[in-house]
Amino acid sequence: MSDIEKVKKLREATGAGFKDCNLAIKESAGDLDKAIEILRVKGISKASKKMSRDAKEGVVAVSGDENKISAIEVNCETDFVAKNDDFINFVKELSEINNGINSNIDELNSSTMKNGQTVSDNLVALVAKIGEKITVGKVKTMQNDGAINFHYLHTVVKDNLSKLAVLVSLETSDKSDTLKTFGKQLSMHIAASNPLALDSNSLDQSIIDKEQELVTEELKNSGKPEDIAKKISIGKMNKFKEENSLLTQAWVMEPKKKVQDIIKELGISDLRIKEFSRIKIGE
């Protein structure tokens, strides 16, 4: 096999450019396996340089069914790459693996993909081939006994890949069409309203503290008497908690009612929202 043929073979195997492949063939004295190894090492150094850049684009992939479902966010630098076939195929396979190992990131990185290489090695090769920083962002798996999973994809890029994904787990023995419709609508509501917790008691204390700080600062500059400022502060904080807790949010499809009112109206006595997750690219 001539050097030119070897360069061609190396390009097919690694996706690297002609110049890099030519240099690797010379450096390895024509040994293809050694040349692949040289490119991998170079790819790793290329990848590490790219890892300092911002990756705010990408996709969220969802895999699974009503018993067990997972979402995985994979970021890249440009929307152009988010639509690249190599990137899409990598994310699709990654999403299936992620669902299989319950979103355990360490296990995910060391998992073997169809080509016999680990996820980590494939990620490095993809960065070297595409020329952009690619990182795995948020991951989430839902599998609850006695619960049914629902999901919603917003701004679909392709198939099970989108810019925003919502997972919802509803605990109930009910299997009716009414429940299925509600599950889908609730997923869409969460996509639009971005609740931070199920109820006000579940809100992260650091989020409440930060909001209280902002409200206090705002009222300090208002010149209002202290007792009135305190009442306004309590009112503002209660409104903040209400608007950011799923159960007390205005129902997107009927804003005069709250989510908890809609649940009561369904008349499904054992229905409970077990958990939910909303993953949006770049957030």
Side-chain angles (χ1 to χ4, degrees), residues 163-178:
K163 295 293 182 183
L164 190 165
V166 173
L167 307 181
V168 179
S169 181
L170 297 180
E171 195 175 65
T172 178
S173 56
D174 193 284
K175 299 277 194 292
S176 66
D177 287 343
T178 303

Side-chain angles (χ1 to χ4, degrees), residues 17-267:
F18 178 84
K19 197 178 168 188
D20 286 334
C21 290
N22 198 25
L23 286 169
I25 289 291
K26 283 179 182 166
E27 208 176 311
S28 68
D31 184 327
L32 262 176
D33 289 336
K34 203 172 173 187
I36 288 170
E37 193 58 39
I38 288 164
L39 279 179
R40 237 188 92 210
V41 172
K42 283 186 180 173
I44 289 166
S45 64
K46 273 187 194 173
S48 64
K49 280 178 199 165
K50 290 183 178 86
M51 285 306 159
S52 62
R53 304 202 307 230
D54 269 351
K56 296 269 174 75
E57 287 294 339
V59 291
V60 185
V62 172
S63 293
D65 54 32
E66 62 177 29
N67 299 313
K68 178 185 176 186
I69 198 164
S70 301
I72 182 165
E73 174 187 25
V74 185
N75 300 107
C76 55
E77 293 175 52
T78 63
D79 193 42
F80 178 73
V81 163
K83 292 168 182 166
N84 172 291
D85 283 344
D86 290 325
F87 179 79
I88 283 172
N89 292 335
F90 170 75
V91 176
K92 278 187 172 184
E93 192 180 342
L94 194 65
S95 182
E96 293 298 324
I97 295 168
N98 183 55
N99 192 47
I101 52 106
N102 303 325
S103 294
N104 180 319
I105 281 287
D106 291 333
E107 213 177 312
L108 182 70
N109 287 329
S110 57
S111 294
T112 305
M113 298 187 84
K114 285 174 192 163
N115 63 0
Q117 302 291 313
T118 64
V119 166
S120 287
D121 286 346
N122 273 301
L123 190 57
V124 165
L126 193 62
V127 169
K129 184 176 181 181
I130 287 176
E132 278 197 11
K133 176 181 177 180
I134 297 165
T135 54
V136 174
K138 297 185 189 81
V139 289
K140 177 70 182 175
T141 295
M142 284 185 192
Q143 187 176 26
N144 298 301
D145 290 339
I148 303 168
N149 297 316
F150 296 89
H151 74 281
Y152 171 64
L153 303 177
H154 188 70
T155 318
V156 174
V157 174
K158 190 176 183 183
D159 304 329
N160 61 326
L161 277 55
S162 67
K163 295 293 182 183
L164 190 165
V166 173
L167 307 181
V168 179
S169 181
L170 297 180
E171 195 175 65
T172 178
S173 56
D174 193 284
K175 299 277 194 292
S176 66
D177 287 343
T178 303
L179 178 87
K180 285 170 186 166
T181 301
F182 173 69
K184 195 73 186 169
Q185 287 180 339
L186 184 64
S187 306
M188 292 165 79
H189 168 93
I190 292 165
S193 299
N194 192 14
L196 301 176
L198 180 62
D199 53 41
S200 58
N201 296 328
S202 314
L203 279 166
D204 194 307
Q205 192 56 47
S206 65
I207 291 170
I208 293 169
D209 292 345
K210 183 74 188 159
E211 186 62 25
Q212 184 66 71
E213 214 177 278
L214 294 170
V215 168
T216 305
E217 194 60 37
E218 185 191 326
L219 290 169
K220 201 196 289 179
N221 303 324
S222 70
K224 287 184 169 65
E226 199 179 320
D227 57 336
I228 292 173
K230 200 172 182 183
K231 276 181 190 167
I232 294 170
S233 173
I234 291 166
K236 277 180 179 283
M237 287 307 295
N238 286 340
K239 191 165 191 267
F240 174 80
K241 288 175 188 175
E242 186 181 292
E243 287 176 351
N244 287 284
S245 304
L246 177 56
L247 289 173
T248 50
Q249 282 184 329
W251 180 238
V252 164
M253 288 90 184
E254 208 176 327
K256 285 197 170 86
K257 293 177 180 175
K258 291 178 181 175
V259 173
Q260 60 194 16
D261 301 329
I262 299 297
I263 292 172
K264 267 183 201 158
E265 284 175 15
L266 289 174

